[in-house]
Amino acid sequence: GFFEDLSLDEIRRVYEVNVFGIMALTQAVLPHMRERRSGRIIITSSAGGRMGAMSISGYASSKFAVEGFAECLSLEVRPFNIHVSLLEPGLIKTPHFTVNRNRAARATDPNSPYHAWFMRHEELVDGILSRNHFTATDVARQVEKILAARRPRLRYVVGRNAKLLFSLRRHIPGEIFERIYWGIAQRVVTSEKKTRT
């Protein structure tokens, strides 16, 4: 949902799972890894943790927090031979987009000033997912590669579209990329095209 349509309680629930859940589990395993002076921690983030988009401010901001946490943690535990890696999937068709869609209560309210834009955004996401060939199995294969790597990297992007987008962002100066990409995204979402209800 668009930020104005989100309640703080809805945002807190997202943070409880995406941020504090990860932190709690990490704190539980770290003493054991530290004692053994060995370990691999793979944290699931998202392409949305490196680049914001309309209609996901609660979700994306939690994933941005996860990215910062993992960067700090990686530096803190490296002296104990513990490696931290971020898994950053793009849009992958999983139950997250079906039974666990997790829309904000106000996001689907026709009286919301953002309702038409939200529904258009959902339609676009569904279209991308229907053409997407990446699955949860591809993500699992990437986890296997991280675990087998001699020197795992901090970041692993999963999904052709996400890789392409990050590559463009890396090679096009920041303000120019933002003006072009976000300008197009905003125009597509806020166009007058009839949306499904």
Side-chain angles (χ1 to χ4, degrees), residues 77-135:
V77 300
R78 183 75 53 84
F80 296 106
N81 194 34
I82 300 169
H83 296 274
V84 176
S85 294
L86 280 159
L87 191 62
E88 300 171 328
L91 286 172
I92 308 283
K93 195 165 189 177
T94 67
H96 170 77
F97 290 102
T98 54
V99 295
N100 298 321
R101 194 85 179 221
N102 200 21
R103 293 179 176 108
R106 277 203 70 211
T108 55
D109 179 355
N111 295 317
S112 163
Y114 304 96
H115 179 260
W117 297 346
F118 176 74
M119 298 311 289
R120 174 70 175 140
H121 185 268
E122 293 283 274
E123 183 180 83
L124 292 168
V125 168
D126 287 341
I128 292 167
L129 286 169
S130 71
R131 297 185 299 275
N132 195 342
H133 301 294
F134 285 92
T135 66

Side-chain angles (χ1 to χ4, degrees), residues 9-136:
D9 283 342
E10 287 170 326
I11 295 170
R12 281 189 188 98
R13 279 199 299 277
V14 171
Y15 271 73
E16 283 294 336
V17 174
N18 290 354
V19 182
F20 298 116
I22 287 171
M23 289 180 168
L25 182 57
T26 304
Q27 275 195 331
V29 300
L30 265 182
H32 307 289
M33 291 181 173
R34 185 172 39 74
E35 284 171 15
R36 295 180 60 187
R37 298 189 77 81
S38 175
R40 302 258 171 122
I41 297 171
I42 301 173
I43 296 173
T44 302
S45 178
S46 166
R50 296 205 15 220
M51 196 164 100
M54 296 172 85
S55 176
I56 61 167
S57 55
Y59 173 82
S61 62
S62 75
K63 293 298 188 176
F64 267 78
V66 165
E67 295 272 331
F69 167 62
E71 285 186 14
C72 296
L73 181 67
S74 178
L75 293 170
E76 292 175 1
V77 300
R78 183 75 53 84
F80 296 106
N81 194 34
I82 300 169
H83 296 274
V84 176
S85 294
L86 280 159
L87 191 62
E88 300 171 328
L91 286 172
I92 308 283
K93 195 165 189 177
T94 67
H96 170 77
F97 290 102
T98 54
V99 295
N100 298 321
R101 194 85 179 221
N102 200 21
R103 293 179 176 108
R106 277 203 70 211
T108 55
D109 179 355
N111 295 317
S112 163
Y114 304 96
H115 179 260
W117 297 346
F118 176 74
M119 298 311 289
R120 174 70 175 140
H121 185 268
E122 293 283 274
E123 183 180 83
L124 292 168
V125 168
D126 287 341
I128 292 167
L129 286 169
S130 71
R131 297 185 299 275
N132 195 342
H133 301 294
F134 285 92
T135 66

